């Protein structure tokens, strides 16, 4: 499995470093002077430290080198506890935090006993070529991290982003023969593009096994693995990648096919083709007509341009990856995620650095003391931001289901303190036909249906949003209830609702559940608390976003189906608000400083367009219309036969003339029978042939088949040649009928209300009758003649 490529642990040297930094015992103080030759006062003083080592190489103490304002280009370091200076070694260099970082620096190293003295102070004199590269320039790393869930992006508000610089020196060590093989693979793709585009830049390659360290993981060891036979590796790919085996073989002939391709081109067309760019800024001619070292250099300098070829085509990826599992990673810093999912970190880079960093990013969350990696794209080289400019934002998207995100409210385009009912699940009330009627609106027959076509069923999540000042305006509780349209038989939605928020103890975050209700307050039952806006509410799943549940149907595991809890039809949902004492509130009452807001469309740029003047009922509530239907669809294949004559259970259908005979399938597919409204989305009927399951006939429709409906298919049509299979004179067939409902739960249509039926039959040619046997008496022996007469009589 993927390991951490830069382990964060305290080595013995790092512990020594901490001790050297924190030692405060008073002993013999030692002052060191550092002179930077040719220092320009216009330059910033570099952040330097002096590191003092014992004769045995143990770090005794470190001290910052502070600029001496009285002396041009000079600074001093003060060591507080140096019992003996004999045999000490002094190192001067950039100020770093760990011994490992010291080892990576280019330091000035001098024996203390040999230091010259200036004004009786031991002095280190550093030429400009040594110290100039210790001056740092700021490099800005910025971006944001989002989680993809329920078809939307949610900002990740808690965590850290580890920032690494990638070194691709491994490409310089790949054998020439592998470099040329990579070129062959690219030439093959140019001459004969693959059958489909397999590039998925935001995810692992679809063929990549994340637990296969030899091919996709991070470096687990000191040397490349044994190079497994490429054909054997290809043979284990999923079925849809079967063409990859031919691609491996095709690399052997790629250059010959390229030559043939070029020879067939007119000169002008050939010149234009060779000068074309095949990937970003790489010309085709540079790939075809460079020597091995030039092509290797091109791969190193333009890895980003070659990334899709090298990373998303397995037969090419597996050529170079075994040699490049041992790339270098240098940690540049760590950025903290902000409440909106953004992060910013300024990394100091040496002024002598000529190239831009090649960034690879890893995101971690520490929740309840457990540190988890929630974003890390592998293979590393394939998910690196090459030559990344300072300040250019990166957008990271995690699909990790356990990632904690904060549930932030979008603003509204109108001012005011509000209670805002959003809708059912991800469906807004504005997407439901006439969900909220105002005086003067004429109700239509589609009211309560999503997009005027789809009803609702199973568990429905009622979503809301509250203004941060609402509790301060005296609004403390809410309550949802439901009644069949045209009645006053209100039933409270009193299923418990629990949300979660984060609390910070020290540097760690912990998840705290909090029950919103139901509570009985002041004699009013089934009230739910308005969430405290001062808490960091999180959203891990749909339960964290629901403020009420309506169970219109409940899943029965024994029956393997949903059991309706309410009758099908239109309902009215009512929302009421209460104060802390349980008194019902009316936003139209004198002195009320809040109102109901209703979104009129999706939020744009984090802003809800709202209606701030909805219709308020006389009791201060607001009403919404919703159509509920929990009826299953029906899919039934009633018969299969020849020419309309159904056959029995074991359907061997004998045909006479394949050119004229037809197989008839009779079926029904619907949601409800008239006069009730039918909410069938569509149905599909298909006839599949043989063990391969090749579809030989199909039909689909969005019009319900309430009465027996026929699908006729010619016998020769069913037995015809398709691809390399057929034609046949006899074969077995399967008939598949599937019905899809429109009923949805606020997130998607409900698959459990789909219906399926299967039938089967076999076609075979009807055998010809045997002709009568005619034998002359002279040619038949008496005994044989007797037998023939006996058979005829029988």
């Amino acid at each position: 499995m993927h390991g951490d490529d830069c382990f964060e642990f305290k080595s013995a040297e790092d512990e020594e470093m901490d001790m050297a930094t924190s030692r405060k015992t008073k002993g013999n103080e030692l002052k060191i002077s550092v002179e930077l030759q040719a220092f320009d006062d216009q330059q910033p003083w570099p952040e330097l430290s002096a590191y003092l080592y014992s004769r045995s190489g143990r770090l005794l103490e470190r001290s910052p080198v502070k600029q001496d304002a009285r002396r041009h280009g000079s600074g001093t370091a003060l060591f507080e506890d140096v019992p003996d200076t004999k045999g000490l070694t002094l190192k001067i260099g950039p100020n770093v935090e760990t011994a490992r970082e010291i080892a990576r620096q280019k330091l000035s190293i001098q024996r203390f006993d040999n230091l010259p003295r200036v004004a009786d102070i031991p002095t280190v004199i550093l030429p400009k070529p040594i110290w100039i590269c210790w001056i740092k320039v700021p490099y800005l790393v910025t971006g944001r991290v989002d989680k993809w869930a329920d078809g939307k992006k949610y900002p990740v508000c808690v965590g850290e982003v580890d920032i690494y610089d990638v070194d691709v020196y491994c490409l310089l060590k790949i054998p020439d023969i592998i470099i040329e093989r990579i070129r062959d693979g690219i030439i093959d793709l140019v001459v004969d593009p693959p059958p489909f585009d397999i590039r998925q830049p935001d995810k692992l390659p679809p063929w990549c096994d994340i637990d296969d360290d030899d091919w996709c993981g991070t470096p687990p060891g000191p040397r490349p693995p044994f190079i497994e036979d490429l054909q054997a590796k290809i043979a284990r790919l999923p079925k849809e990648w079967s063409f990859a085996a031919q691609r491996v073989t095709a690399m052997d002939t790629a250059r010959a096919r390229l030559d043939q391709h070029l020879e067939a081109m007119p000169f002008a067309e050939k010149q234009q083709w060779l000068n074309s760019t095949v990937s970003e800024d790489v010309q085709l001619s540079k790939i075809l007509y460079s020597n091995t070292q030039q092509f290797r250099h091109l791969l190193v300098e333009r890895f980003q341009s070659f990334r899709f070829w090298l990373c998303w085509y397995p037969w090419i990826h597996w050529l170079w990856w075994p040699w490049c599992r041992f790339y270098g990673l240098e940690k540049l810093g760590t950025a903290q995620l902000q409440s909106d999912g953004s992060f910013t970190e300024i990394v100091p880079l040496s002024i002598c650095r000529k190239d831009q960093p090649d960034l690879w990013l890893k995101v971690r969350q520490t929740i309840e003391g457990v540190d988890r990696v929630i974003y890390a794209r592998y293979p590393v080289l394939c998910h690196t931001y090459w030559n990344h400019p300072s300040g250019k934002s990166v957008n990271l998207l995690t699909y990790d289901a356990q990632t904690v995100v904060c549930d932030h409210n979008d603003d509204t385009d109108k001012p005011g303190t509000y209670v805002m009912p959003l809708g059912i699940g991800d469906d807004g009330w504005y997407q439901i036909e006439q969900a909220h009627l105002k005086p003067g609106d004429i109700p239509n027959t589609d009211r309560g249906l999503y997009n005027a076509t789809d009803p609702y069923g199973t568990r429905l999540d009622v979503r809301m949003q509250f203004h941060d000042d609402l509790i301060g305006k005296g609004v403390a509780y809410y309550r949802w209830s439901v009644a069949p349209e045209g009645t006053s038989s209100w039933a409270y939605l009193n299923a418990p609702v629990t949300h979660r928020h984060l609390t910070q103890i020290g540097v760690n975050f912990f998840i705290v559940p909090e029950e919103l209700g139901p509570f009985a307050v002041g004699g009013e039952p089934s009230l739910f608390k308005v969430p405290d806006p001062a808490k960091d509410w999180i959203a891990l799943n749909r339960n964290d976003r629901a403020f009420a549940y309506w169970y219109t149907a409940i899943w029965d595991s024994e029956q393997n189906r949903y059991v309706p809890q309410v009758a099908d039809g239109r309902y009215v949902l009512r929302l009421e608000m209460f104060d802390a004492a349980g008194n019902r509130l009316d936003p139209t009452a004198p002195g009320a400083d809040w109102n109901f807001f209703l979104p009129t469309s999706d939020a744009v740029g984090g802003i809800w367009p709202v209606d701030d003047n909805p219709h308020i009922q006389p009791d201060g509530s607001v009403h919404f219309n919703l159509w509920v239907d929990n009826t299953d669809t029906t899919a039934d294949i009633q018969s299969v036969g020849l020419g309309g004559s159904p056959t029995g259970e074991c359907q061997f259908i004998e045909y006479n003339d394949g050119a004229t005979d037809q197989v008839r399938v009779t079926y029904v597919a619907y949601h409800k029978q008239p006069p009730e409204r039918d909410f069938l989305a569509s149905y599909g009927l298909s006839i599949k042939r043989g063990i391969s399951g090749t579809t030989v006939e199909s039909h689909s429709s969005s019009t319900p088949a309430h009465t027996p409906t026929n699908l006729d298919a010619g016998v020769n049509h069913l037995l015809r040649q398709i691809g390399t299979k057929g034609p046949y004179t006899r074969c077995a067939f399967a008939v598949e009928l599937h019905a899809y409902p429109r009923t949805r739960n606020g997130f998607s249509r409900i698959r459990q209300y789909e219906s399926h039926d299967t039938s089967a039959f076999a076609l075979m040619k009807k055998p010809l009758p045997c002709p009568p046997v005619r034998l002359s008496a002279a040619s038949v022996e008496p005994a044989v003649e007797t037998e023939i007469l006996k058979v005829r009589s029988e």
Side-chain angles (χ1 to χ4, degrees):
M1 296 181 65
H2 292 314
D4 192 347
D5 22 68
C6 280
F7 295 103
E8 298 301 322
F9 63 89
K10 287 281 187 180
S11 65
E13 293 82 0
D14 291 339
E15 296 287 355
E16 188 177 279
M17 184 84 163
D18 290 342
M19 292 176 63
T21 303
S22 61
R23 187 183 292 118
K24 296 297 182 183
T25 305
K26 287 292 183 180
N28 297 322
E29 288 189 343
L30 177 63
K31 187 176 183 181
I32 302 293
S33 177
V34 178
E35 291 188 5
L36 306 184
Q37 289 186 338
F39 180 79
D40 186 349
D41 286 335
Q42 300 301 317
Q43 292 175 316
W45 181 260
E47 293 186 11
L48 304 180
S49 282
Y51 307 92
L52 196 62
Y53 289 82
S54 68
R55 185 193 302 270
S56 62
R58 182 171 64 90
L59 178 62
L60 297 176
E61 194 172 347
R62 73 168 179 174
S63 172
V65 179
K66 298 179 180 179
Q67 186 176 15
D68 188 343
R70 297 170 300 176
R71 298 175 59 197
H72 175 73
S74 295
T76 57
L78 181 64
F79 298 103
E80 298 180 343
D81 182 22
V82 184
D84 184 9
T85 61
K86 188 174 182 180
L88 298 183
T89 298
L90 184 67
K91 298 181 181 182
I92 307 293
N95 181 35
V96 295
E97 297 298 326
T98 67
R100 265 189 307 170
E101 291 178 280
I102 292 179
R104 287 201 293 259
Q105 306 300 322
K106 295 180 179 179
L107 305 177
S108 168
I109 304 174
Q110 303 191 35
R111 291 186 179 277
F112 182 83
D113 296 339
N114 299 335
L115 289 180
R117 290 179 175 268
V118 177
D120 203 32
I121 298 177
T123 302
V124 179
I125 301 174
L126 299 175
K128 186 173 183 178
I130 293 179
W131 62 261
I132 188 64
C133 292
W134 296 341
I135 293 180
K136 305 294 184 179
V137 294
Y139 174 79
L140 177 63
V141 181
T142 185
R144 63 178 294 112
V145 182
D146 292 294
K147 174 183 176 179
W148 184 262
D150 301 328
K152 294 183 179 180
K153 291 181 180 179
Y154 296 92
V156 180
C157 57
V158 177
E160 295 180 319
V161 181
D162 294 328
I163 304 164
Y164 295 91
D165 189 14
V166 180
D167 186 350
V168 290
Y169 62 85
C170 63
L171 293 174
L172 302 174
K173 297 183 178 181
I174 296 178
D176 288 353
I177 189 173
I178 300 297
I179 292 293
E180 288 302 326
R181 198 65 170 159
I182 293 172
R183 194 206 305 259
D184 290 339
I186 294 176
I187 290 174
D188 173 57
L189 291 173
V190 171
V191 175
D192 183 17
F196 56 89
D197 188 353
I198 62 174
R199 296 177 294 182
Q200 300 181 36
D202 291 330
K203 296 183 180 181
L204 278 169
W207 43 263
C208 189
D209 180 1
I210 62 173
D211 292 330
D212 185 354
D213 281 329
D214 284 350
W215 302 97
C216 291
T218 53
R223 58 186 176 82
F226 175 77
I227 298 179
E228 186 177 351
D229 177 67
L230 187 56
Q231 284 287 11
K233 189 76 175 173
I234 293 290
R236 294 198 296 271
L237 287 171
K239 182 179 178 181
E240 61 269 22
W241 292 89
S242 58
F243 71 92
Q246 288 77 35
R247 287 291 177 174
V248 176
T249 305
M251 287 193 289
D252 295 332
T253 62
R255 302 196 190 199
R257 287 184 286 117
L258 172 66
D259 292 339
Q260 294 174 0
H261 186 69
L262 290 172
E263 289 176 2
M265 280 185 175
F267 178 78
E269 183 181 347
K270 181 190 304 183
Q271 190 176 35
Q272 182 180 6
W273 188 62
L274 292 174
N275 290 332
S276 64
T277 56
V278 292
S279 181
E280 297 184 13
D281 55 349
V282 178
Q283 284 187 329
L284 179 59
S285 59
K286 292 183 178 180
I287 298 176
L288 303 183
Y289 299 124
S290 55
N291 61 36
T292 303
Q293 294 309 313
Q294 289 172 334
F295 182 62
R296 183 195 303 275
H297 182 74
L298 190 63
L299 290 177
V300 173
E301 293 298 317
R302 297 284 189 271
F303 192 94
Q304 180 75 9
S305 302
F306 288 97
R307 185 166 69 107
F308 289 131
W309 282 337
L310 296 175
C311 297
W312 271 263
Y313 296 102
W315 58 94
I316 297 179
H317 176 77
W318 288 332
L319 286 172
W320 64 271
W321 175 245
W323 303 91
C324 278
R325 293 165 62 247
F326 305 93
Y327 47 82
L329 278 179
E330 179 186 356
K331 190 172 182 180
L332 300 180
T334 297
Q336 298 293 325
L337 286 174
Q338 304 304 311
S339 59
D340 62 350
S342 66
F343 64 90
T344 299
E345 181 72 9
I346 295 178
V347 176
L349 298 179
S350 170
I351 199 173
C352 298
R353 179 164 181 158
K354 301 302 181 184
D355 64 330
Q356 299 274 26
D358 302 318
L359 295 185
W360 183 74
L361 305 171
K362 179 170 64 177
V363 185
R364 295 175 292 104
Q365 272 190 341
T366 302
I367 304 295
E368 297 184 341
V370 178
D371 188 79
R372 292 184 62 252
V373 175
I374 63 171
Y375 177 93
R377 291 286 181 262
Y378 298 98
V380 167
L381 301 188
C382 297
H383 294 86
T384 295
Y385 294 88
W386 298 98
N387 298 314
H388 192 72
S390 175
K392 183 177 181 180
S393 181
V394 296
N395 297 310
L396 310 181
L397 190 63
T398 177
Y399 297 86
D400 177 69
Q402 299 181 53
T403 296
V404 174
V405 298
C406 292
D407 201 14
H408 290 285
N409 291 339
D410 290 329
D411 291 330
T412 59
D413 64 349
K414 293 183 175 63
T417 303
Y418 60 80
V419 175
M420 187 158 62
L422 297 178
I424 303 297
D426 285 339
D427 297 348
W429 289 116
Y430 51 88
Q431 295 173 294
I432 299 173
E433 181 72 11
Q434 290 190 331
H436 180 73
L437 290 172
K438 291 186 174 184
D441 291 341
I442 300 176
N444 64 36
T445 57
D446 296 328
R447 65 188 180 279
L449 296 176
Y450 176 79
N451 284 342
T453 58
D454 297 2
Y456 286 84
T458 67
R459 189 188 101 170
L460 303 180
D461 297 359
V462 183
R463 293 188 58 192
M464 305 174 67
Q465 180 172 309
F466 303 93
H467 192 277
D468 288 350
D469 296 336
L470 191 65
I471 296 177
K473 299 295 178 67
V475 184
Y477 293 96
Y478 66 92
R479 181 172 66 191
W480 285 92
S481 50
V482 61
E485 186 183 61
T487 75
S488 57
S489 302
W490 296 105
Y492 301 133
L493 300 186
N494 53 15
V497 174
T498 299
H499 284 194
R500 293 174 286 183
H501 60 84
L502 289 176
T503 185
Q504 188 172 5
I505 302 177
V507 296
N508 291 321
F509 289 90
F510 295 86
I511 297 176
V512 179
E514 183 172 325
E515 187 177 359
L516 298 187
F519 301 106
V521 181
E524 290 287 349
S526 302
L527 302 190
F528 293 77
K529 293 189 298 185
V530 173
D532 183 354
K535 296 178 180 178
D536 291 324
W537 299 97
I538 65 173
L540 279 173
N541 54 47
R542 58 185 281 190
N543 295 340
D544 295 314
R545 301 184 182 95
F547 287 87
Y549 301 114
W550 184 18
Y551 289 92
T552 68
I554 296 177
W555 182 256
D556 189 317
S557 57
E558 292 185 0
Q559 300 184 50
N560 197 34
R561 61 183 294 269
Y562 275 106
V563 177
Q565 303 297 297
V566 298
D568 293 347
R570 291 192 185 93
Y571 287 82
V572 176
L573 278 79
R574 178 180 66 182
L575 173 60
E576 305 165 280
M577 305 305 297
F578 300 83
D579 64 16
N583 299 308
R584 185 181 289 107
L585 299 175
D586 185 346
T588 63
D593 193 14
W594 65 278
N595 199 7
F596 291 106
F597 280 11
L598 299 183
T600 57
S601 67
D602 290 341
V604 179
I607 303 294
W608 285 108
V610 297
D611 175 6
D612 61 353
N613 186 33
H615 176 52
I616 309 299
Q617 300 293 325
D619 62 356
S621 66
V622 288
H623 289 183
F624 300 92
N625 299 309
L626 203 70
W627 195 326
V628 171
D629 197 304
N630 284 294
T631 300
D632 288 325
T633 55
T634 296
D636 181 26
I637 301 171
Q638 297 184 336
S639 66
V640 179
L642 193 66
S645 300
T647 56
E649 172 66 16
C650 295
Q651 304 189 83
F652 289 88
I653 300 177
E654 296 182 344
Y655 65 92
N656 291 312
D657 185 352
T660 58
D661 287 349
Q662 288 192 325
V663 173
R664 170 167 290 181
V665 179
T666 302
Y667 64 93
V668 292
Y670 58 88
H671 172 247
K672 282 186 174 180
Q673 290 284 11
E676 294 188 83
R677 183 158 178 172
D678 191 294
F679 292 113
L680 182 79
S682 65
Y683 70 85
L685 178 66
S686 62
I687 302 177
K688 298 182 178 181
R689 185 179 71 193
I691 194 170
S692 66
T694 303
T695 300
V696 292
E697 183 62 58
S698 63
H699 170 71
S700 62
S701 176
S702 58
T703 302
H706 293 118
T707 59
T709 304
N710 299 325
L711 172 69
D712 294 326
V715 169
N716 280 356
H717 179 72
L718 297 177
L719 296 170
R720 73 191 185 279
Q721 180 176 348
I722 298 179
T724 60
K725 297 178 174 62
Y728 304 103
T729 58
R730 61 181 183 176
C731 199
F733 298 83
V735 184
E736 306 278 351
L737 176 63
H738 199 94
Y740 300 87
R742 289 191 174 277
T743 309
R744 59 189 291 109
N745 58 12
F747 300 96
S748 62
R749 287 177 175 170
I750 302 170
R751 297 295 308 271
Q752 289 82 356
Y753 287 160
E754 296 175 13
S755 183
H756 187 84
D757 196 16
T758 302
S759 185
F761 67 95
L763 279 176
M764 58 188 300
K765 180 76 173 177
K766 188 173 184 178
L768 296 174
C770 296
V773 179
R774 299 183 181 276
L775 299 173
S776 64
S779 63
V780 180
E781 295 290 335
V784 176
E785 183 178 9
T786 301
E787 289 297 322
I788 292 174
L789 292 174
K790 181 179 178 181
V791 171
R792 287 180 176 177
S793 65
E794 291 176 350

